[in-house]
Amino acid sequence: RALIVQTGSATAFGQIAKRLALRPPETEFEHGIRRFGYLLTEVMLVLVLIVFAVNVFFHKPVLDSLLFSVALAVGLTPQLLPAIISINLSKGSQTMASHGVIVRRLEAIENFGSMDVLCTDKTGTLTEGVVRLDGALDVAGRPSDEVFRYAYLNAHFQTGLANPLDEAIITQAQPDIAGFSKVDEIPYDFVRKRLSVVVEAPGLASLLITKGALENVLAGCTQVQDGETTLPLDEAHLAQIHRRYEEWSGQGFRVLGVAIGTGDSLSRPHTRGDERDLTFVGFLLFFDPPKPGVQETIADLAGLGVQLKIITGDNRLVALHTAQAVGLDVTGVMSGRELDKMPDEALWQAAGHANLFAEVDPNQKERIVLALKKTGHAVGYMGDGINDAPALHAADVGISVDKAVDVAKEAADFVLLERDLSILHQGIVLGRTTFANTLKYVFITTSANFGNMFSMAGASLFLPYLPMLPMQILLTNFLTDFPAMTIAGDSVDREWIEQPRRWNVKFIRDFMVTFGIISSVFDYLTFGALLLVVRATTDQFRTGWFLESVLTELLILLVIRTRKPFFRSKPSKYLLISALIIAGVTLILPYSPLSGILGFTPLPISSLLVLSAITVLYVAASELAKRRFYRATEHRLSTSR
């Protein structure tokens, strides 16, 4: 017989499935992309309206003015950004796969680079994950075959989910359990934190054996077995039990309690109500040693700017011992009970300070992750169980392992072929490399495009003709975007990967305006040279500015791609080759059969020399501005701290 008390989404598994079906919370990368899109939309809208209105006011053809304004907006947009991101992520996915990391969601690679907090379990990640039974002891702390037999019967007959503690008991030498048979079972749950089985044997009354977290087992006990004598569980015995528990936990042992209940008081079918008036019989001690090299891994993560936070169901003493054994500098400890009493607003602050969460049930893991995200952290979570799925789903970076349950792997963004923190180093570095190359493209295109469009908008006010035809604007944008496609494989300076990086829209805006204005200054210098020095015709003006726009953007690509002086940071081979090819095509176009179709005309040598001098000055000015811009930014950050 089975009594059904909950069905569907009302069950524990149903609630997990329902939460996983919801759209995941917005990640750090998605949030940054959305804000960047808002910035571009605002700039484009203002630019189009102003340029169109001014051109119409000066009695220029309405259709030409509209097309010119729209072309400006299109020219400002980094059209290849989705393609650049996809290429970056695909290349990153292949590299990560070769290092034992399977990428299930490409967009999470960028979040891997932004991650500054990694939450992980203790068992199997910081420790060997091979739990062994170190002792079965009676109340006085002496080895006890009887306590071990009770524990073995409990582990042998339980039919719930397999767990390493039961496996550690069963792998020991089997005691004599001949004649024992299972009558009933009260499964483990994360509220009671204990498991009971009812067994019987010829000539013996039904025997209930309870095994679980010490405090939870003691909560159901009223007696204690001391040798052959059963005594009331008074304050003296409780103090002795807790003293031993704290001593063993402080040595890194995980301690479970074992209790029994007998007699006709047991109900049929057996329920949780039978876990009362029990007799406490002893302890089970388990040990899971730290992994070799985990100290170096934690130090390595700290060097990358990633905080490690341990979330475990073990008691705080065991968790604290393990944390200290692996070299984690514990800044604060929180228990599951403290979490239950804490409102969300208080948890937002406490979660950022504490880095060790002990006695935590699975329902609290997601709450910790969301609290960290609320305070601005990019959070990674590493888990492998069914109850880890909500936290994996909520994290910016969900990490599981190959041997995890299916629902955990489905909820994760990455699956590690080995349960080892050291494998995360390569993933973090690769994520930051991918993110750095994405930001390079954004910096280069937005600053160059903003400068060019700002120059065109200004030139349209004093020139009797459009400074560049819409077709020429789009061609300029296409040619300058072509080398940018190779940025995905560009080399990255070490400064880009030393600390987590994220979308900083204010920084991008300031960068765009600063270098856009510099670009515009030299554009207007080009205008003056073409109109006043060279005395260029309409087609010569458009051709000269086209050449200057494309060539300066190709050179500025090499300047902006690094914070170092551009000649001290070697670009990738493909980036350099593509830039040279586009430069050659640009110089040839005015002298090719396509020049008439595109509205170009050959330029005299004097014009080319003037444009070359302006280009050299532009690169020098940009290099100087870059140095001052980064220094000013670092100064603002240091003073804000």
Side-chain angles (χ1 to χ4, degrees):
R1 291 186 179 184
L3 175 63
I4 299 173
V5 294
Q6 300 286 2
T7 60
S9 61
T11 64
F13 284 0
Q15 290 173 6
I16 292 174
K18 185 177 180 180
R19 299 184 82 162
L20 294 180
L22 298 175
R23 182 178 178 179
E26 187 177 58
T27 65
E28 176 64 29
F29 178 69
E30 292 167 338
H31 178 67
I33 284 286
R34 178 169 55 81
R35 293 184 61 206
F36 177 60
Y38 290 161
L39 172 66
L40 290 180
T41 303
E42 293 169 2
V43 175
M44 285 189 292
L45 183 61
V46 171
L47 187 65
V48 169
L49 291 177
I50 292 177
V51 172
F52 177 70
V54 171
N55 275 275
V56 171
F57 178 78
F58 283 102
H59 306 292
K60 295 185 178 180
V62 174
L63 183 59
D64 286 348
S65 298
L66 178 61
L67 291 175
F68 180 69
S69 301
V70 173
L72 286 180
V74 173
L76 180 64
T77 308
Q79 297 96 331
L80 287 182
L81 182 59
I84 293 295
I85 290 176
S86 297
I87 293 170
N88 272 327
L89 298 181
S90 298
K91 185 175 183 298
S93 174
Q94 294 174 355
T95 306
M96 293 180 79
S98 67
H99 287 83
V101 181
I102 306 302
V103 182
R104 298 194 66 256
R105 295 181 181 86
L106 285 178
E107 63 273 13
I109 293 177
E110 303 273 10
N111 292 319
F112 220 154
S114 301
M115 180 177 71
D116 62 347
V117 172
L118 174 62
C119 300
T120 180
D121 189 16
K122 173 180 72 68
T123 304
T125 306
L126 302 179
T127 63
E128 292 282 0
V130 182
V131 182
R132 67 171 186 263
L133 178 64
D134 204 72
L137 312 175
D138 63 15
V139 175
R142 299 182 296 262
S144 170
D145 292 337
E146 184 180 26
V147 172
F148 175 65
R149 186 171 68 159
Y150 289 143
Y152 192 95
L153 286 167
N154 180 285
H156 177 75
F157 285 117
Q158 75 93 13
T159 56
L161 292 174
N163 65 84
L165 299 181
D166 285 334
E167 291 175 3
I169 295 171
I170 294 173
T171 54
Q172 300 291 312
Q174 179 177 337
D176 182 15
I177 58 171
F180 281 94
S181 61
K182 178 180 176 180
V183 176
D184 209 343
E185 177 179 355
I186 308 171
Y188 181 89
D189 64 61
F190 290 99
V191 177
R192 292 164 40 252
K193 295 185 179 180
R194 58 193 180 218
L195 163 70
S196 297
V197 297
V198 181
V199 297
E200 62 182 10
L204 292 177
S206 295
L207 175 67
L208 181 141
I209 306 172
T210 299
K211 170 176 71 24
L214 183 67
E215 289 292 341
N216 298 68
V217 170
L218 287 174
C221 294
T222 57
Q223 301 174 96
V224 59
Q225 183 172 310
D226 190 357
E228 299 296 328
T229 309
T230 301
L231 302 170
L233 184 59
D234 55 20
E235 292 297 328
H237 282 102
L238 280 174
Q240 182 186 43
I241 291 171
H242 284 116
R243 186 171 61 253
R244 296 187 186 281
Y245 169 72
E246 292 174 4
E247 178 184 348
W248 290 324
S249 296
Q251 296 171 7
F253 291 102
R254 182 170 182 178
V255 183
L256 299 187
V258 181
I260 59 172
T262 58
D264 298 329
S265 61
L266 301 178
S267 61
R268 289 181 179 272
H270 300 90
T271 67
R272 299 175 186 177
D274 290 321
E275 295 175 332
R276 56 184 171 80
D277 297 328
L278 303 179
T279 300
F280 185 78
V281 295
F283 311 89
L284 299 174
L285 273 57
F286 298 88
F287 190 69
D288 185 11
K291 279 185 176 178
V294 74
Q295 291 184 343
E296 291 78 7
T297 301
I298 293 175
D300 190 33
L301 290 174
L304 290 171
V306 179
Q307 301 179 50
L308 185 68
K309 294 182 183 288
I310 301 175
I311 304 178
T312 178
D314 288 352
N315 73 73
R316 67 165 60 209
L317 295 174
V318 174
L320 187 60
H321 177 274
T322 302
Q324 292 170 343
V326 299
L328 181 67
D329 183 16
V330 178
T331 57
V333 183
M334 290 188 66
S335 68
R337 292 181 181 179
E338 292 171 333
L339 281 171
D340 283 336
K341 299 175 183 177
M342 190 172 290
D344 288 339
E345 292 78 5
L347 180 59
W348 296 344
Q349 300 303 319
H353 174 70
N355 62 352
L356 181 58
F357 299 87
E359 302 166 22
V360 172
D361 67 55
N363 298 323
Q364 296 168 326
K365 296 178 181 179
E366 182 185 20
R367 192 172 171 222
I368 295 170
V369 169
L370 293 175
L372 291 168
K373 290 182 65 174
K374 188 71 176 180
T375 52
H377 292 286
V379 184
Y381 182 84
M382 190 170 179
D384 60 0
I386 293 174
N387 290 290
D388 289 315
L392 288 167
H393 187 68
D396 293 300
V397 184
I399 307 166
S400 192
V401 292
D402 187 42
K403 295 182 180 179
V405 297
D406 289 342
V407 69
K409 288 190 285 188
E410 286 294 323
D413 303 307
F414 300 92
V415 177
L416 308 184
L417 298 184
E418 298 178 16
R419 184 166 182 164
D420 189 351
L421 283 178
S422 62
I423 202 173
L424 298 178
H425 172 83
Q426 183 66 27
I428 293 171
V429 171
L430 186 58
R432 292 181 184 176
T433 301
T434 304
F435 190 50
N437 284 332
T438 302
L439 285 182
K440 286 181 190 179
Y441 174 76
V442 171
F443 290 158
I444 292 164
T445 53
T446 54
S447 58
N449 291 351
F450 177 78
N452 287 338
M453 300 310 109
F454 189 74
S455 300
M456 289 184 196
S460 68
L461 300 181
F462 63 82
L463 289 176
Y465 49 83
L466 291 176
M468 196 179 285
L469 298 174
M471 178 172 54
Q472 294 169 342
I473 295 174
L474 298 178
L475 178 62
T476 301
N477 206 41
F478 171 75
L479 289 175
T480 53
D481 271 344
F482 184 76
M485 295 184 66
T486 63
I487 286 181
D490 190 25
S491 55
V492 175
D493 296 336
R494 181 169 180 79
E495 292 81 1
W496 282 98
I497 60 176
E498 287 179 337
Q499 293 295 323
R501 302 281 175 179
R502 13 175 109 189
W503 286 96
N504 186 334
V505 174
K506 182 180 182 301
F507 183 87
I508 294 173
R509 183 197 64 201
D510 293 345
F511 196 99
M512 178 180 72
V513 172
T514 300
F515 288 89
I517 289 175
I518 294 173
S519 175
S520 288
V521 168
F522 281 89
D523 282 340
Y524 287 118
L525 183 60
T526 303
F527 297 160
L530 290 173
L531 293 174
L532 303 177
V533 178
V534 180
R535 304 289 180 179
T537 64
T538 300
D539 287 343
Q540 286 178 335
F541 181 90
R542 289 169 175 165
T543 303
W545 194 25
F546 167 77
L547 291 176
E548 191 264 351
S549 295
V550 175
L551 293 177
T552 52
E553 188 164 342
L554 292 176
L555 288 171
I556 207 66
L557 184 152
L558 301 178
V559 172
I560 292 179
R561 60 167 290 276
T562 175
R563 293 182 59 170
K564 301 177 180 177
F566 74 94
F567 49 85
R568 292 185 181 176
S569 177
K570 185 178 179 181
S572 68
K573 177 176 66 175
Y574 296 108
L575 177 59
L576 188 59
I577 291 174
S578 62
L580 292 174
I581 291 174
I582 294 301
V585 170
T586 302
L587 291 170
I588 291 171
L589 273 178
Y591 306 93
S592 72
L594 296 175
S595 61
I597 300 174
L598 298 173
F600 297 138
T601 188
L603 295 179
I605 295 297
S606 58
S607 298
L608 294 176
L609 291 176
V610 169
L611 292 175
S612 298
I614 292 173
T615 300
V616 171
L617 287 174
Y618 175 49
V619 172
S622 298
E623 186 65 51
L624 181 62
K626 178 182 70 175
R627 187 182 308 173
R628 292 186 175 180
F629 179 83
Y630 280 114
R631 283 180 180 174
T633 302
E634 291 172 353
H635 177 70
R636 286 197 303 270
L637 290 175
S638 62
T639 54
S640 65
R641 294 192 188 104

